[in-house]
mmCIF file of all heavy atoms in Angstrom:
data_model
loop_
_atom_site.group_PDB
_atom_site.id
_atom_site.type_symbol
_atom_site.label_atom_id
_atom_site.label_comp_id
_atom_site.label_asym_id
_atom_site.label_seq_id
_atom_site.Cartn_x
_atom_site.Cartn_y
_atom_site.Cartn_z
ATOM 1 N N THR A 308 -190.595 -43.273 45.867
ATOM 2 C CA THR A 308 -189.598 -43.529 46.968
ATOM 3 C C THR A 308 -189.239 -44.966 47.061
ATOM 4 O O THR A 308 -188.288 -45.252 47.521
ATOM 5 C CB THR A 308 -190.148 -42.885 48.219
ATOM 6 O OG1 THR A 308 -191.407 -43.582 48.652
ATOM 7 C CG2 THR A 308 -190.416 -41.423 48.069
ATOM 8 N N SER A 309 -190.299 -45.781 46.920
ATOM 9 C CA SER A 309 -189.920 -47.193 47.100
ATOM 10 C C SER A 309 -188.973 -47.717 46.166
ATOM 11 O O SER A 309 -188.368 -48.805 46.328
ATOM 12 C CB SER A 309 -191.304 -48.072 46.945
ATOM 13 O OG SER A 309 -191.817 -47.938 45.603
ATOM 14 N N LYS A 310 -188.717 -46.995 44.992
ATOM 15 C CA LYS A 310 -187.696 -47.529 44.010
ATOM 16 C C LYS A 310 -186.353 -46.950 44.250
ATOM 17 O O LYS A 310 -185.419 -47.291 43.690
ATOM 18 C CB LYS A 310 -188.116 -47.053 42.675
ATOM 19 C CG LYS A 310 -189.578 -47.631 42.130
ATOM 20 C CD LYS A 310 -189.900 -47.077 40.793
ATOM 21 C CE LYS A 310 -191.228 -47.700 40.415
ATOM 22 N NZ LYS A 310 -191.754 -47.102 39.162
ATOM 23 N N LYS A 311 -186.279 -46.071 45.172
ATOM 24 C CA LYS A 311 -184.979 -45.325 45.545
ATOM 25 C C LYS A 311 -184.148 -46.133 46.513
ATOM 26 O O LYS A 311 -184.777 -46.785 47.373
ATOM 27 C CB LYS A 311 -185.220 -43.912 46.033
ATOM 28 C CG LYS A 311 -185.762 -42.973 44.836
ATOM 29 C CD LYS A 311 -185.715 -41.574 45.416
ATOM 30 C CE LYS A 311 -186.334 -40.642 44.338
ATOM 31 N NZ LYS A 311 -186.518 -39.276 44.857
ATOM 32 N N ARG A 312 -182.867 -46.095 46.410
ATOM 33 C CA ARG A 312 -182.130 -46.768 47.339
ATOM 34 C C ARG A 312 -181.323 -45.639 48.086
ATOM 35 O O ARG A 312 -180.387 -45.096 47.425
ATOM 36 C CB ARG A 312 -181.119 -47.788 46.855
ATOM 37 C CG ARG A 312 -180.336 -48.596 47.888
ATOM 38 C CD ARG A 312 -179.567 -49.665 47.178
ATOM 39 N NE ARG A 312 -179.007 -50.535 48.176
ATOM 40 C CZ ARG A 312 -179.506 -51.443 48.933
ATOM 41 N NH1 ARG A 312 -180.816 -51.616 48.719
ATOM 42 N NH2 ARG A 312 -178.948 -52.131 49.839
ATOM 43 N N VAL A 313 -181.545 -45.341 49.308
ATOM 44 C CA VAL A 313 -181.015 -44.178 49.900
ATOM 45 C C VAL A 313 -179.597 -44.424 50.508
ATOM 46 O O VAL A 313 -178.634 -43.762 50.382
ATOM 47 C CB VAL A 313 -181.833 -43.587 51.018
ATOM 48 C CG1 VAL A 313 -181.226 -42.398 51.735
ATOM 49 C CG2 VAL A 313 -183.161 -43.132 50.336
ATOM 50 N N ILE A 314 -179.500 -45.600 51.032
ATOM 51 C CA ILE A 314 -178.270 -46.038 51.835
ATOM 52 C C ILE A 314 -177.229 -46.673 50.895
ATOM 53 O O ILE A 314 -177.617 -47.467 50.093
ATOM 54 C CB ILE A 314 -178.538 -46.924 52.868
ATOM 55 C CG1 ILE A 314 -179.471 -46.366 54.014
ATOM 56 C CG2 ILE A 314 -177.338 -47.493 53.706
ATOM 57 C CD1 ILE A 314 -179.897 -47.223 55.088
ATOM 58 N N GLU A 315 -175.980 -46.214 50.862
ATOM 59 C CA GLU A 315 -174.948 -46.841 50.168
ATOM 60 C C GLU A 315 -174.071 -47.701 51.183
ATOM 61 O O GLU A 315 -173.905 -47.246 52.371
ATOM 62 C CB GLU A 315 -174.060 -45.786 49.517
ATOM 63 C CG GLU A 315 -174.833 -44.936 48.550
ATOM 64 C CD GLU A 315 -173.904 -43.831 47.879
ATOM 65 O OE1 GLU A 315 -172.700 -43.946 48.051
ATOM 66 O OE2 GLU A 315 -174.502 -42.988 47.218
ATOM 67 N N HIS A 316 -173.619 -48.787 50.601
ATOM 68 C CA HIS A 316 -172.777 -49.612 51.536
ATOM 69 C C HIS A 316 -171.347 -49.176 51.771
ATOM 70 O O HIS A 316 -170.408 -49.667 51.119
ATOM 71 C CB HIS A 316 -172.864 -51.086 50.912
ATOM 72 C CG HIS A 316 -174.288 -51.552 50.786
ATOM 73 N ND1 HIS A 316 -174.711 -52.588 51.843
ATOM 74 C CD2 HIS A 316 -175.263 -51.343 50.059
ATOM 75 C CE1 HIS A 316 -175.956 -52.900 51.376
ATOM 76 N NE2 HIS A 316 -176.373 -52.117 50.386
ATOM 77 N N ARG A 317 -171.140 -48.274 52.472
ATOM 78 C CA ARG A 317 -169.806 -47.746 52.755
ATOM 79 C C ARG A 317 -169.689 -47.550 54.259
ATOM 80 O O ARG A 317 -170.516 -47.119 54.885
ATOM 81 C CB ARG A 317 -169.559 -46.218 52.119
ATOM 82 C CG ARG A 317 -169.377 -46.401 50.642
ATOM 83 C CD ARG A 317 -169.003 -45.096 50.112
ATOM 84 N NE ARG A 317 -170.037 -44.404 49.350
ATOM 85 C CZ ARG A 317 -170.159 -43.108 49.049
ATOM 86 N NH1 ARG A 317 -169.264 -42.353 49.605
ATOM 87 N NH2 ARG A 317 -171.164 -42.798 48.315
ATOM 88 N N TRP A 318 -168.504 -48.161 54.748
ATOM 89 C CA TRP A 318 -168.379 -48.093 56.244
ATOM 90 C C TRP A 318 -167.686 -46.883 56.698
ATOM 91 O O TRP A 318 -166.473 -46.652 56.729
ATOM 92 C CB TRP A 318 -167.420 -49.294 56.723
ATOM 93 C CG TRP A 318 -167.939 -50.635 56.341
ATOM 94 C CD1 TRP A 318 -167.530 -51.466 55.463
ATOM 95 C CD2 TRP A 318 -169.088 -51.195 57.014
ATOM 96 N NE1 TRP A 318 -168.340 -52.638 55.370
ATOM 97 C CE2 TRP A 318 -169.262 -52.632 56.327
ATOM 98 C CE3 TRP A 318 -170.063 -50.761 57.832
ATOM 99 C CZ2 TRP A 318 -170.264 -53.312 56.520
ATOM 100 C CZ3 TRP A 318 -171.057 -51.703 58.176
ATOM 101 C CH2 TRP A 318 -171.251 -52.846 57.532
ATOM 102 N N THR A 319 -168.631 -45.830 56.803
ATOM 103 C CA THR A 319 -168.047 -44.556 57.153
ATOM 104 C C THR A 319 -169.102 -43.774 57.933
ATOM 105 O O THR A 319 -170.288 -44.058 57.712
ATOM 106 C CB THR A 319 -167.657 -43.655 55.969
ATOM 107 O OG1 THR A 319 -167.187 -42.240 56.376
ATOM 108 C CG2 THR A 319 -168.733 -43.534 54.951
ATOM 109 N N THR A 320 -168.792 -42.793 58.876
ATOM 110 C CA THR A 320 -169.754 -42.021 59.515
ATOM 111 C C THR A 320 -169.716 -40.553 58.958
ATOM 112 O O THR A 320 -170.311 -39.741 59.604
ATOM 113 C CB THR A 320 -169.521 -42.068 61.030
ATOM 114 O OG1 THR A 320 -168.135 -41.598 61.248
ATOM 115 C CG2 THR A 320 -169.728 -43.363 61.579
ATOM 116 N N ASP A 321 -168.980 -40.411 57.977
ATOM 117 C CA ASP A 321 -168.820 -39.031 57.393
ATOM 118 C C ASP A 321 -170.088 -38.539 56.821
ATOM 119 O O ASP A 321 -170.786 -39.405 56.186
ATOM 120 C CB ASP A 321 -167.704 -38.943 56.455
ATOM 121 C CG ASP A 321 -166.295 -39.175 56.959
ATOM 122 O OD1 ASP A 321 -166.167 -39.029 58.140
ATOM 123 O OD2 ASP A 321 -165.430 -39.642 56.233
ATOM 124 N N LEU A 322 -170.328 -37.310 57.062
ATOM 125 C CA LEU A 322 -171.665 -36.697 56.464
ATOM 126 C C LEU A 322 -171.413 -36.563 55.005
ATOM 127 O O LEU A 322 -170.534 -35.979 54.572
ATOM 128 C CB LEU A 322 -171.961 -35.368 57.128
ATOM 129 C CG LEU A 322 -173.263 -34.620 56.791
ATOM 130 C CD1 LEU A 322 -174.418 -35.541 57.070
ATOM 131 C CD2 LEU A 322 -173.371 -33.361 57.350
ATOM 132 N N ILE A 323 -172.351 -36.958 54.219
ATOM 133 C CA ILE A 323 -172.443 -36.834 52.794
ATOM 134 C C ILE A 323 -173.038 -35.443 52.435
ATOM 135 O O ILE A 323 -174.272 -35.180 52.842
ATOM 136 C CB ILE A 323 -173.198 -37.967 52.023
ATOM 137 C CG1 ILE A 323 -172.579 -39.300 52.349
ATOM 138 C CG2 ILE A 323 -173.202 -37.716 50.630
ATOM 139 C CD1 ILE A 323 -173.345 -40.492 51.777
ATOM 140 N N LEU A 324 -172.301 -34.598 51.886
ATOM 141 C CA LEU A 324 -172.783 -33.266 51.551
ATOM 142 C C LEU A 324 -173.730 -33.274 50.314
ATOM 143 O O LEU A 324 -173.510 -34.148 49.367
ATOM 144 C CB LEU A 324 -171.571 -32.354 51.286
ATOM 145 C CG LEU A 324 -170.760 -32.037 52.544
ATOM 146 C CD1 LEU A 324 -169.594 -31.229 52.071
ATOM 147 C CD2 LEU A 324 -171.476 -31.568 53.646
ATOM 148 N N PRO A 325 -174.715 -32.498 50.324
ATOM 149 C CA PRO A 325 -175.624 -32.465 49.133
ATOM 150 C C PRO A 325 -174.879 -31.971 47.890
ATOM 151 O O PRO A 325 -174.021 -31.113 48.038
ATOM 152 C CB PRO A 325 -176.766 -31.434 49.510
ATOM 153 C CG PRO A 325 -176.038 -30.680 50.635
ATOM 154 C CD PRO A 325 -175.095 -31.571 51.333
ATOM 155 N N LYS A 326 -175.182 -32.599 46.651
ATOM 156 C CA LYS A 326 -174.673 -32.101 45.483
ATOM 157 C C LYS A 326 -175.258 -30.836 45.096
ATOM 158 O O LYS A 326 -176.456 -30.549 45.281
ATOM 159 C CB LYS A 326 -174.939 -33.133 44.329
ATOM 160 C CG LYS A 326 -174.279 -34.429 44.741
ATOM 161 C CD LYS A 326 -174.568 -35.471 43.442
ATOM 162 C CE LYS A 326 -173.915 -36.767 43.804
ATOM 163 N NZ LYS A 326 -174.303 -37.766 42.705
ATOM 164 N N PRO A 327 -174.503 -29.901 44.525
ATOM 165 C CA PRO A 327 -175.076 -28.605 44.055
ATOM 166 C C PRO A 327 -176.130 -28.833 42.932
ATOM 167 O O PRO A 327 -175.942 -29.681 42.127
ATOM 168 C CB PRO A 327 -173.907 -27.784 43.653
ATOM 169 C CG PRO A 327 -172.863 -28.899 43.282
ATOM 170 C CD PRO A 327 -173.083 -30.041 44.244
ATOM 171 N N LYS A 328 -177.163 -28.039 42.984
ATOM 172 C CA LYS A 328 -178.243 -28.010 41.951
ATOM 173 C C LYS A 328 -177.509 -27.502 40.701
ATOM 174 O O LYS A 328 -176.719 -26.548 40.655
ATOM 175 C CB LYS A 328 -179.322 -27.255 42.451
ATOM 176 C CG LYS A 328 -180.120 -27.734 43.559
ATOM 177 C CD LYS A 328 -181.434 -26.910 43.785
ATOM 178 C CE LYS A 328 -182.201 -27.450 44.884
ATOM 179 N NZ LYS A 328 -183.323 -26.679 45.218
#
Side-chain angles (χ1 to χ4, degrees):
T308 59
S309 64
K310 296 176 184 177
K311 292 184 179 180
R312 187 173 185 81
V313 176
I314 298 177
E315 297 180 14
H316 299 258
R317 286 185 248 161
W318 300 112
T319 176
T320 59
D321 294 337
L322 179 65
I323 300 176
L324 297 176
K326 296 180 180 179
K328 291 183 178 180

